[in-house]
Amino acid sequence: MFEFSHWLEQTHVSLAIQTAGWVIPAVQIIHILCICIVLGSILAIGLKVWGGVLPDIRLGAVVRRFGPWLWTALVGLLLTGTILIVAEPIRELYSLAFWIKMGLIIVGGTVTAYFQVHMRRNAAKWDAGAYNRGLTRSVTALTWVVWFAIAVMGRWIAFDTAVFGDWSPHNHMFDAQTTKTPTP
Amino acid sequence: MGPVFELCQAIQKSPLGVWLRTNIMAIPVADALHVIAIALVFGTILIVDLRILGIPSTRWSITKLSRALLKWTWLAFIVAAITGALMFVANATTFYINLAFRIKLVLIVLAGINMMLFEFITVRTVGKWDQGVQPPLAAKIGVLASILLWMCVLICGRIIGYTKETPFDVNAPSTLDLDNLHF
């Protein structure tokens, strides 16, 4: 990881981004904008599933309205996130919060995809108002918890040593190079 | 430095300020909740604003959509304001002198005024354009202004992170007492 991060940091792309000072903030802002669209979309769907809002509009129609925006924004997060990793490899790859976030993204992506596929296969039933309310509510709540945790971990990349203390890889970057005096 | 700066110093030195700075999880938790809250503020506002612009369609009722979402916008805004205030209390002087922070507060006030103009004037004729037809130009300009203002709030928020200084004490002694260092 050490060698890979340092190699990545020295590539032309990374150096170009690092020296053009405006790129990282601009990409972060697009990243945040996509977060707004993701959280807004899953809130709207969640409100329909849990709160029964917009009674004249079927759940299937709500998912069809917000689904494309949700997935486009997730792709946006993936692209901007990749640029941010390439721009500052050590900050990201040496952060425990980052790795927890990546694990959660796999979970969140899977759950969200399952929800979408399930919806498309059963669109007619959902439009008719007949679906397993309990299962749908559980999956929706899980989706919410996971993306919420992902957002928190994303913010905590900047606070990695404060939040995770000695578990943060940042505190162990040079461990291999320190000589440990043998105990008497 | 002025009375407001001195007030900020007093806020920073308050028991709450000290607690926020010494408790190592306080700022990370406040900051994480702040980010999620603002994402929900802008995310929900964007849904209604896009609808008024006719995106993706004019099929859904504007009034019903905003009624469903508006209380969440408010709840998220309150959480954002509280977490923002906590972060401010912890390092009040560094925020006070930060230009991006000042601009951000002004923009939030402008966004609020824009929203009130919309609620009290533009919305009066909503019965005619609630569903199925394109809203009038005045409404569209109002929501475009809303989107622009909130985007600038977001941008200022990120710039604060890049331009904020670490806390300093204007009243620090000019000589260092190495036996009694405290931060």
Side-chain angles (χ1 to χ4, degrees):
Chain A
M1 192 52 63
F2 192 75
E3 291 80 19
F4 175 70
S5 312
H6 277 266
W7 169 79
L8 191 53
E9 205 186 29
Q10 300 300 315
T11 57
H12 284 287
V13 181
S14 182
L15 289 170
I17 298 173
Q18 288 167 46
T19 47
W22 57 271
V23 175
I24 294 174
V27 172
Q28 284 182 336
I29 284 160
I30 300 172
H31 201 76
I32 294 169
L33 177 61
C34 291
I35 294 170
C36 296
I37 296 172
V38 168
L39 293 186
S41 299
I42 63 175
L43 176 72
I45 295 172
L47 285 176
K48 182 60 184 164
V49 169
W50 280 87
V53 299
L54 303 169
D56 335 324
I57 304 170
R58 291 291 174 201
L59 175 53
V62 172
V63 177
R64 276 192 296 274
R65 154 71 182 84
F66 291 103
W69 287 77
L70 170 61
W71 285 104
T72 308
L74 288 177
V75 170
L77 288 172
L78 189 67
L79 294 173
T80 49
T82 305
I83 296 172
L84 291 171
I85 295 168
V86 168
E88 299 184 294
I90 291 183
R91 178 182 185 269
E92 259 64 272
L93 302 177
Y94 271 84
S95 152
L96 180 57
F98 171 80
W99 289 109
I100 296 175
K101 186 179 171 188
M102 292 303 109
L104 287 173
I105 286 171
I106 294 171
V107 174
T110 309
V111 172
T112 311
Y114 163 76
F115 188 87
Q116 188 85 50
V117 165
H118 189 79
M119 181 248 124
R120 214 172 276 147
R121 261 195 222 136
N122 300 283
K125 255 201 289 175
W126 286 32
D127 283 339
Y131 54 92
N132 185 332
R133 236 162 264 266
L135 178 64
T136 309
R137 280 184 165 187
S138 308
V139 172
T140 308
L142 180 64
T143 305
W144 242 100
V145 170
V146 174
W147 289 111
F148 178 97
I150 289 168
V152 171
M153 285 301 144
R155 189 65 192 96
W156 282 359
I157 292 172
F159 293 107
D160 207 62
T161 46
V163 171
F164 294 109
D166 206 47
W167 289 349
S168 170
H170 277 288
N171 284 333
H172 299 277
M173 238 190 281
F174 305 108
D175 275 0
Q177 296 172 34
T178 51
T179 46
K180 295 197 161 82
T181 49
T183 47
Chain B
M1 264 280 207
V4 182
F5 187 83
E6 281 166 23
L7 175 64
C8 290
Q9 280 184 302
I11 290 171
Q12 227 169 264
K13 289 179 188 170
S14 69
L16 178 61
V18 172
W19 183 85
L20 288 166
R21 281 197 305 279
T22 46
N23 191 316
I24 204 158
M25 284 297 289
I27 299 299
V29 169
D31 208 334
L33 290 175
H34 190 75
V35 167
I36 291 170
I38 58 113
L40 286 172
V41 168
F42 191 53
T44 50
I45 287 176
L46 197 59
I47 293 171
V48 179
D49 283 358
L50 287 174
R51 164 60 189 87
I52 293 170
L53 290 172
I55 301 165
S57 79
T58 56
R59 215 172 331 139
W60 291 8
S61 151
I62 293 172
T63 49
K64 288 186 184 157
L65 185 62
S66 58
R67 218 176 300 144
L69 290 173
L70 207 66
K71 49 172 112 53
W72 294 95
T73 310
W74 273 111
L75 182 63
F77 184 79
I78 288 167
V79 173
I82 291 173
T83 50
L86 287 174
M87 290 193 285
F88 179 81
V89 166
N91 293 296
T93 53
T94 59
F95 285 105
Y96 171 66
I97 61 171
N98 187 295
L99 181 62
F101 176 74
R102 295 185 180 191
I103 295 176
K104 184 179 164 186
L105 291 189
V106 169
L107 289 175
I108 292 173
V109 170
L110 290 178
I113 293 172
N114 181 56
M115 210 167 272
M116 280 198 284
L117 286 172
F118 191 85
E119 286 300 314
F120 292 120
I121 301 174
T122 320
V123 150
R124 272 189 284 178
T125 57
V126 76
K128 296 196 206 121
W129 41 273
D130 190 45
Q131 204 168 0
V133 294
Q134 288 288 339
L137 188 62
K140 292 195 177 187
I141 290 173
V143 297
L144 273 172
S146 160
I147 293 172
L148 203 68
L149 284 167
W150 284 111
M151 276 247 51
C152 290
V153 169
L154 217 123
I155 291 168
C156 282
R158 196 72 283 267
I159 292 174
I160 294 172
Y162 278 96
T163 55
K164 201 171 85 71
E165 296 167 29
T166 47
F168 59 94
D169 184 2
V170 173
N171 300 316
S174 52
T175 51
L176 271 179
D177 180 358
L178 290 173
D179 296 323
N180 289 297
L181 281 174
H182 58 95
F183 298 96

